[in-house]
């Protein structure tokens, strides 16, 4: 035996020992993509069939070569029939590609050869389909599981569930005479005030939905209008009392109020540390601000009461933040549905298609999903939502509207929002509420089943991704591979505080809703 033969024998024995060592533990039994050889599935798609769903051939399927799984990360619409689907399968080089599936309406399986009958229809309605691939060498084989996911509920639906509601002011025995809530700047916390003989407050963390503090608020100035309460900064607050602005610094339970001397009859909100409001003089209504002392005459159709709380935003047309209010009552007492924007120095009416005339709208920015049915890509679209208002009915009286309206151009045009954003029938109609959006970290159901905070029971998180971003085509990461499924992600919840019902009674509750799609675990 030559020295080279001895060397080859030694190497062979060594490789055998290493392989046996690797197979000695299931935890270490790992197969890399390079080991798959000609058994790798390089592409998978469904054949176009508009009678099933539009752009069926554009539905993206992730191919997890390591775990031998093929599936569509973003599920098909509710009700999609998947019992007769044709497929397209690409492989590196295979001598056999067999599909095994359950025969519809039976308990029997059948196997068809994709190579011999590529146009056969496959039943994906009765569970995953087995894909068996045999390489060109006729020795190496690989079994995959193919699953066509279909949504069991409409994903783009604003979900408000009965248990996603909590009382404000648990230590109040009677319904408060007034409720207001303000968002603390630069935080995800809000302060809620409620008056019932004495003024109580609570602080709620929107990032968790949990109450973090509550107690008895220090004495308010005599004649204070609770609905005018605003947070100028995280520790500076303002309120209107007897036509003047009072301010205080510190925590809500240790405030000492002082008169600023600035006359103001109503407050709209705060933008970049400036309190915006209006004052009525002998010569009419004027826009005023604090601490800046600028003032200007207001147009006759400008709302001077019951407008929505100021929403601050930026867009591509503005160099600095803008403020927006909608609805309310004009100086003559009539209601309006117009939107007015503040650019840092003046007010201007921006709506060309206004809301129905009404007071007490709750307005807030919220991203809505947009599905491109040509390629089933999902993106987010920024919008303003307006809900809950007291409006005129057909008989000339007043009624509480439950209709949700939407604007995609920051208040210029409004229309009734799609059905998926409308409030559920079982929700009590309201107006004059405060609405904010806060993100909560959701965890994958496998990692945190039945997670519960102090205030909210977490919605049942589904491991059905909302959308996937394709991995760039490279040698190391082909486009057919998924990247990762995160264990946790930020989910934007809508919080609606207080308000009044049709009988004018205060609603000492906070409600929470979310578009169902945002509770799905996304793929990045």
């Amino acid at each position: 035996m030559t020295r080279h033969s001895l060397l080859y024998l030694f190497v062979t024995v060594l490789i055998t020992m290493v392989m046996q060592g690797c197979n000695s533990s299931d935890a270490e039994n790992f197969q890399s993509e390079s080991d798959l050889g000609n058994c790798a599935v390089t592409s998978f798609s469904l054949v176009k069939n508009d009678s099933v769903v539009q752009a069926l051939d554009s539905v993206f399927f992730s191919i997890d070569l390591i775990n031998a799984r093929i599936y569509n990360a973003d599920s098909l619409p509710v009700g999609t029939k998947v019992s007769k689907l044709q497929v397209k399968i690409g492989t590196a080089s295979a001598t056999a590609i067999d599909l095994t599936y359950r025969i519809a309406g039976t308990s029997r399986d059948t196997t068809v050869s994709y190579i011999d009958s590529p146009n056969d229809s496959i039943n994906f309605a009765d569970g995953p389909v087995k894909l068996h691939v045999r390489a060109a060498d006729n020795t190496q084989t690989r079994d995959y599981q193919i699953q066509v996911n279909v949504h069991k509920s409409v994903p783009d639906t604003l979900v408000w569930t009965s248990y996603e509601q909590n009382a404000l002011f648990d230590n109040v025995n009677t319904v408060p005479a007034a409720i207001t809530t303000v968002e603390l700047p630069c935080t995800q916390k809000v302060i809620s005030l409620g008056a019932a003989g004495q003024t109580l407050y609570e602080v709620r963390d929107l990032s968790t939905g949990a109450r973090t503090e509550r107690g008895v608020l220090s004495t308010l100035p005599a004649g204070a209008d609770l609905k005018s309460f605003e947070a100028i900064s995280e520790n500076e607050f303002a309120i209107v009392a007897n036509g003047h602005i009072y301010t205080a610094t510190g925590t809500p339970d240790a405030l000492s109020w002082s008169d600023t001397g600035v006359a103001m009859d109503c407050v709209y909100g705060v933008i970049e540390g400036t309190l915006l409001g209006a004052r009525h003089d002998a010569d009419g209504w004027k826009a005023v601000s604090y601490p800046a002392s600028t003032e200007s005459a207001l147009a006759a159709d400008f709302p001077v009461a019951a407008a929505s709380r100021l929403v601050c935003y930026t867009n591509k047309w503005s160099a600095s933040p803008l403020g927006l209010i909608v609805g309310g009552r004009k100086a003559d007492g009539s209601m309006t549905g117009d939107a007015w924007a503040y650019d840092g120095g003046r007010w201007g009416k921006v709506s060309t298609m206004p809301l129905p005339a009404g007071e007490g709208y709750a307005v807030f920015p919220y991203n809505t999903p947009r599905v491109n049915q040509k390629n089933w890509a999902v993106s987010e679209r920024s919008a303003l939502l307006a809900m809950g208002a007291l409006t005129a009915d057909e008989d000339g009286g007043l009624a509480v509207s439950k209709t949700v309206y939407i604007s995609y151009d920051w208040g210029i045009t409004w229309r009734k929002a799609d059905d998926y954003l409308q409030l559920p029938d079982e929700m009590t109609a309201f107006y004059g509420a405060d609405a904010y959006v806060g993100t909560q970290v959701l965890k994958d159901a496998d990692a945190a089943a039945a997670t519960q905070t102090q205030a909210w029971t977490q919605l049942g998180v589904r491991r059905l991704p909302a959308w996937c971003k394709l991995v760039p085509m490279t040698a190391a990461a082909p486009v057919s591979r998924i990247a990762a499924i995160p264990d946790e992600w930020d989910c934007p919840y809508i919080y609606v505080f207080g308000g009044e019902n049709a009988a004018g009674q205060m609603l000492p509750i906070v409600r929470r809703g979310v578009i169902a799609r945002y509770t799905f675990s996304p793929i990045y």
Side-chain angles (χ1 to χ4, degrees):
M1 181 178 292
T2 66
R3 294 177 59 189
H4 288 297
S5 299
L6 290 173
L7 177 61
Y8 293 151
L9 177 62
F10 174 75
V11 171
T12 301
V13 173
L14 179 62
I15 292 175
T16 303
M17 293 174 62
V18 170
M19 292 181 63
Q20 289 176 344
C22 290
N23 290 329
S24 63
S25 171
D26 291 338
E28 298 175 352
N29 189 8
F30 175 77
Q31 185 176 33
S32 68
E33 290 183 30
S34 60
D35 296 331
L36 299 177
N38 294 328
C39 288
V41 175
T42 58
S43 65
F44 180 89
S45 64
L46 302 176
V47 175
K48 182 179 178 62
N49 188 342
D50 289 344
S51 65
V52 175
V53 70
Q54 287 186 344
L56 184 63
D57 55 332
S58 297
V59 175
F60 180 77
F61 278 81
S62 297
I63 302 176
D64 183 350
L65 294 177
I66 300 302
N67 297 303
R69 293 181 60 226
I70 302 172
Y71 63 98
N72 54 318
D74 196 9
S75 301
L76 294 173
V78 175
T80 300
K81 304 299 183 183
V82 296
S83 57
K84 294 181 179 180
L85 299 179
Q86 294 174 290
V87 300
K88 289 184 177 180
I89 303 172
T91 62
S93 178
T95 57
I97 305 174
D98 299 327
L99 294 158
T100 301
Y101 61 91
R102 178 64 50 89
I103 301 175
T106 73
S107 59
R108 294 181 292 109
D109 292 339
T110 188
T111 299
V112 298
S113 168
Y114 175 76
I115 293 178
D116 296 335
S117 305
N119 297 321
D120 277 12
S121 295
I122 308 300
N123 176 28
F124 290 94
D126 293 313
V129 170
K130 176 184 173 182
L131 172 64
H132 178 76
V133 178
R134 185 173 70 239
D137 59 10
N138 288 318
T139 59
Q140 190 177 17
T141 63
R142 176 78 160 164
D143 290 335
Y144 296 84
Q145 182 187 82
I146 308 174
Q147 186 161 348
V148 177
N149 291 318
V150 178
H151 281 300
K152 293 180 172 56
S153 62
V154 179
D156 298 331
T157 299
L158 192 56
V159 178
W160 306 79
T161 55
S162 58
Y163 62 82
E164 296 288 307
Q165 173 176 303
N166 283 276
L168 292 168
F169 319 117
D170 287 345
N171 53 347
V172 178
N173 296 322
T174 59
V175 176
I179 295 173
T180 191
T181 303
V182 297
E183 186 175 24
L184 296 181
C186 304
T187 73
Q188 276 211 125
K189 294 181 181 178
V190 296
I191 294 178
S192 299
L193 299 182
Q198 58 183 344
T199 303
L200 303 171
Y201 85 98
E202 74 166 16
V203 178
R204 189 180 292 265
D205 188 344
L206 296 183
S207 64
T208 63
R211 296 182 179 95
T212 58
E213 186 179 0
R214 64 178 180 269
V216 178
L217 184 68
S218 57
T219 304
L220 291 173
D225 176 12
L226 198 66
K227 294 296 290 184
S228 69
F229 182 79
E230 287 288 347
I232 297 177
S233 66
E234 191 172 352
N235 61 355
E236 182 179 6
F237 305 94
I239 200 166
V240 172
N242 298 321
H244 275 204
I245 288 294
Y246 284 72
T247 61
T249 58
T251 60
D253 53 352
L255 298 180
S256 179
W257 296 91
S258 59
D259 188 350
T260 64
V262 176
M264 199 175 289
D265 293 304
C266 72
V267 168
Y268 300 109
V270 175
I271 180 169
E272 294 195 301
T274 298
L275 183 71
L276 303 180
R279 183 182 74 243
H280 184 249
D281 292 337
D283 55 348
W285 283 91
K286 294 180 175 63
V288 293
S289 60
Y290 172 86
S293 58
T294 58
E295 63 178 56
S296 59
L298 289 173
D301 55 349
F302 191 86
V304 295
S308 71
R309 181 164 256 131
L310 187 76
V311 175
C312 296
Y313 66 99
T314 57
N315 60 32
K316 60 183 179 182
W317 304 293
S318 62
S320 58
L322 302 175
L324 186 91
I325 59 174
V326 301
R329 289 191 178 270
K330 298 180 284 189
D332 63 5
S334 62
M335 292 189 297
T336 177
D338 282 319
W340 292 78
Y342 180 81
D343 65 359
R346 59 181 179 175
W347 288 96
K349 183 164 59 176
V350 296
S351 55
T352 59
M353 294 178 60
L355 290 161
E359 64 174 77
Y361 279 105
V363 181
F364 54 92
Y366 196 66
N367 287 339
T368 59
R370 178 167 54 179
V371 181
N372 185 337
Q373 294 189 352
K374 292 183 178 180
N375 58 13
W376 296 102
V378 181
S379 58
E380 290 186 352
R381 188 178 184 185
S382 59
L384 283 175
L385 295 182
M387 61 177 64
L390 188 66
T391 61
D393 60 21
E394 296 179 354
D395 299 325
L398 296 177
V400 180
S401 172
K402 290 185 65 175
T403 304
V404 178
Y405 297 91
I406 194 166
S407 173
Y408 290 111
D409 51 17
W410 297 103
I412 298 175
T413 58
W414 293 88
R415 66 172 177 82
K416 180 181 177 182
D418 293 335
D419 289 343
Y420 78 89
L421 288 173
Q422 297 301 317
L423 301 178
D425 293 338
E426 60 271 18
M427 179 179 284
T428 301
F430 62 87
Y431 70 97
D434 299 311
Y436 304 101
V437 175
T439 57
Q440 179 176 346
V441 176
L442 294 188
K443 297 184 178 181
D444 183 81
D446 295 339
T451 298
Q452 188 170 349
T453 66
Q454 298 176 20
W456 307 98
T457 301
Q458 182 170 304
L459 288 172
V461 178
R462 288 140 290 192
R463 201 177 176 90
L464 293 176
W467 46 73
C468 58
K469 183 184 296 183
L470 305 188
V471 179
M473 173 71 83
T474 65
V479 72
S480 61
R481 289 298 312 278
I482 62 172
I485 298 177
D487 291 329
E488 59 183 41
W489 64 97
D490 289 337
C491 179
Y493 282 92
I494 300 167
Y495 296 84
V496 178
F497 293 83
E500 300 179 28
N501 61 17
Q505 298 172 326
M506 300 303 302
L507 299 172
I509 55 175
V510 54
R511 290 132 287 180
R512 187 173 78 158
V514 65
I515 291 179
R517 183 181 289 272
Y518 295 149
T519 67
F520 298 167
S521 172
I523 285 181
Y524 298 107

